[in-house]
Amino acid sequence: MANLRSQTLMIIFIVPTIFVITPSHCSRIRMVHSDDESLIETTCKQTPNYDLCVQSLKSDPGSSHTDVAGLGLIMVKVITAKAKATENKINHLLQGGDLDPKQEWALKSCRGMYDMVLRTDVPEATEALQKGNPKFAEDGVKDMGNEAIYCEGEFDGDKSLLKPENDAMRDLAWVAVAIVRQLL
């Protein structure tokens, strides 16, 4: 009889708790609305560049089975790939040798900035997202966009050799910032 009573009390307290916890937990894992709007679309509508956001996230097959933090991690991976490609272009341009001193100086400065993105900002943002600390992730992703802006400024009125790359990096970073802010 006592065993039955304790089981009944347990059910009375546990079942309501499940109904309180489960809906909010499930909505963070995969948010699908009644109008079949996916988490990617919902998330991207809250960014400054919906098309870039959707294209970037859908390029990763895991994006359809993750939460907002996972989408943030995917954006960090996309930014990482863009930063590596830009760093490769910088190295290629520097090896070419047909640069005036201002352009060479700007490229060397930019190489340092993109190196900072890859060695500091990417690991910071990645770790913060994995550990559930969106404020630090936001700081890391903001820095990625700022480095692209600073790099562009290094050309100081000269024709930038990295304008498309810097613009893309900046735009990706602002999308990532908007995604991470949804976790705050």
Side-chain angles (χ1 to χ4, degrees):
M1 185 73 168
N3 192 16
L4 181 61
R5 178 181 282 170
S6 62
Q7 286 177 346
T8 303
L9 286 174
M10 221 165 57
I11 289 172
I12 289 172
F13 290 110
I14 291 176
V15 170
T17 305
I18 291 171
F19 288 114
V20 170
I21 293 171
T22 303
S24 63
H25 178 69
C26 288
S27 67
R28 290 189 68 209
I29 293 173
R30 174 109 170 111
M31 192 183 327
V32 178
H33 301 285
S34 59
D35 61 354
D36 293 332
E37 186 174 55
S38 74
L39 179 60
I40 291 172
E41 292 162 348
T42 302
T43 302
C44 289
K45 283 182 180 177
Q46 298 177 57
T47 70
N49 192 329
Y50 175 82
D51 292 335
L52 177 64
C53 179
V54 170
Q55 176 188 7
S56 298
L57 293 175
K58 288 190 175 183
S59 70
D60 187 301
S63 64
S64 62
H65 306 293
T66 192
D67 59 4
V68 175
L71 296 178
L73 284 167
I74 291 168
M75 284 304 299
V76 170
K77 286 188 334 188
V78 170
I79 291 169
T80 301
K82 177 55 78 179
K84 286 179 180 178
T86 303
E87 200 172 50
N88 288 337
K89 179 176 180 177
I90 292 168
N91 290 332
H92 178 74
L93 289 169
L94 287 170
Q95 290 170 356
D98 291 339
L99 301 169
D100 69 51
K102 283 183 177 180
Q103 288 178 323
E104 183 176 352
W105 185 85
L107 285 171
K108 287 180 178 177
S109 180
C110 288
R111 181 171 54 191
M113 292 175 199
Y114 277 92
D115 185 58
M116 180 71 75
V117 166
L118 293 168
R119 288 187 317 114
T120 305
D121 299 330
V122 166
E124 176 186 329
T126 300
E127 181 179 354
L129 284 167
Q130 290 170 339
K131 291 185 175 181
N133 191 338
K135 183 59 185 149
F136 282 117
E138 179 186 23
D139 292 343
V141 177
K142 273 184 186 177
D143 286 347
M144 295 175 202
N146 287 335
E147 295 294 349
I149 291 168
Y150 301 149
C151 171
E152 192 61 31
E154 291 298 320
F155 290 93
D156 194 33
D158 290 341
K159 181 161 173 53
S160 171
L161 300 174
L162 300 173
K163 178 119 177 88
E165 291 80 8
N166 287 330
D167 288 352
M169 183 74 160
R170 180 203 60 219
D171 293 347
L172 288 167
W174 295 160
V175 167
V177 167
I179 291 171
V180 171
R181 283 185 177 159
Q182 293 174 46
L183 297 167
L184 296 173

